[in-house]
Amino acid sequence: KAGVTQTPRYLIKTRGQQVTLSCSPISGHRSVSWYQQTPGQGLQFLFEYFSETQRNKGNFPGRFSGRQFSNSRSEMNVSTLELGDSALYLCASSLEGGSPLHFGNGTRLTVT
Amino acid sequence: SQELEQSPQSLIVQEGKNLTINCTSSKTLYGLYWYKQKYGEGLIFLMMLQKGGEEKSHEKITAKLDEKKQQSSLHITASQPSHAGIYLCGALRGGSQGNLIFGKGTKLSVKP
């Protein structure tokens, strides 16, 4: 079974631009979560989607948004990029019923 | 808000030695996950502990959950260079299973 796939692997953007990251979950997984990882703050929860609905949201500004499609694939968007948005963005998928999260290899975003 | 504190922050051991990593929660633990991360990559799921006193093993890694102490420990027996990486504990924050809070991680280096 293929794991969680995130694209692209690396991105370099300029302040003020916007970016879209993509995540394909493990087949059969309907829950997709997004995390931001930085050296200073560690791993922080962004949001979770299930059946195309946002189920939970972390404490991030409205510039961070996401969506989930009917095939469970998910995208997250960051608008008006700031230098502090430079991070590793991780996507995770899971089955329902308390099963663990399975993470992708992440997208490394650098904002210059 | 709940916090997870991991100790030690970093660890250097000689190959073949045993080691223990601890994860202490500021609140009651309802479930505890252990992950391993290679630098710049995604998280690899190791184990999930759900009940007080539960202990699980996978190859040379054993994890225990002490509900009373609100603490979990990860023990590696006869460490190998392949065990090197960052170990992260995560706990359900509540609301939904995709919303985990993570510790800052323990960086393990194994000297051959």
Side-chain angles (χ1 to χ4, degrees):
Chain A
K1 219 179 206 182
V4 177
T5 304
Q6 291 188 246
T7 56
R9 195 77 172 84
Y10 301 94
L11 263 179
I12 299 175
K13 290 285 186 179
T14 304
R15 239 180 339 177
Q17 288 186 313
Q18 76 163 13
V19 67
T20 299
L21 312 181
S22 181
C23 172
S24 293
I26 291 172
S27 178
H29 288 193
R30 292 163 63 192
S31 172
V32 174
S33 301
W34 288 89
Y35 286 80
Q36 181 196 65
Q37 187 176 34
T38 59
Q41 299 297 317
L43 270 163
Q44 291 187 289
F45 172 75
L46 280 157
F47 26 65
E48 180 190 8
Y49 287 87
F50 180 79
S51 292
E52 302 178 67
T53 302
Q54 188 179 88
R55 188 153 72 172
N56 217 330
K57 189 178 189 308
N59 190 24
F60 278 82
R63 299 185 296 107
F64 291 81
S65 63
R67 60 178 175 167
Q68 187 180 32
F69 302 95
S70 58
N71 61 359
S72 294
R73 192 176 70 83
S74 178
E75 289 181 348
M76 69 163 279
N77 183 277
V78 188
S79 62
T80 320
L81 284 165
E82 300 177 358
L83 295 178
D85 296 334
S86 294
L88 180 66
Y89 289 88
L90 293 162
C91 168
S93 72
S94 67
L95 290 167
E96 282 298 273
S99 62
L101 301 183
H102 294 273
F103 285 81
N105 278 329
T107 293
R108 170 77 62 186
L109 172 65
T110 302
V111 182
T112 61
Chain B
S1 60
Q2 183 178 23
E3 289 186 357
L4 292 179
E5 190 168 325
Q6 287 187 236
S7 62
Q9 286 186 325
S10 64
L11 198 51
I12 302 173
V13 299
Q14 199 69 39
E15 183 177 357
K17 294 294 185 184
N18 303 337
L19 63 107
T20 300
I21 297 169
N22 292 305
C23 175
T24 304
S25 173
S26 60
K27 293 189 176 181
T28 303
L29 282 168
Y30 294 105
L32 196 288
Y33 302 82
W34 283 101
Y35 287 88
K36 178 186 173 185
Q37 184 179 31
K38 293 281 190 181
Y39 178 73
E41 296 182 5
L43 279 63
I44 299 167
F45 171 70
L46 294 175
M47 273 169 279
M48 176 172 70
L49 304 166
Q50 292 181 296
K51 302 172 191 174
E54 188 171 16
E55 180 175 323
K56 285 188 177 178
S57 294
H58 176 66
E59 296 180 345
K60 293 185 178 180
I61 302 177
T62 300
K64 299 179 188 179
L65 178 62
D66 186 332
E67 255 181 5
K68 287 183 182 176
K69 291 184 181 177
Q70 296 177 177
Q71 186 179 75
S72 177
S73 60
L74 185 85
H75 184 77
I76 299 177
T77 304
S79 58
Q80 300 167 357
S82 60
H83 287 128
I86 300 170
Y87 289 81
L88 293 134
C89 62
L92 284 170
R93 194 196 303 259
S96 58
Q97 68 182 55
N99 186 358
L100 299 183
I101 182 170
F102 284 91
K104 295 286 189 189
T106 295
K107 184 179 176 182
L108 172 63
S109 301
V110 180
K111 285 185 171 181

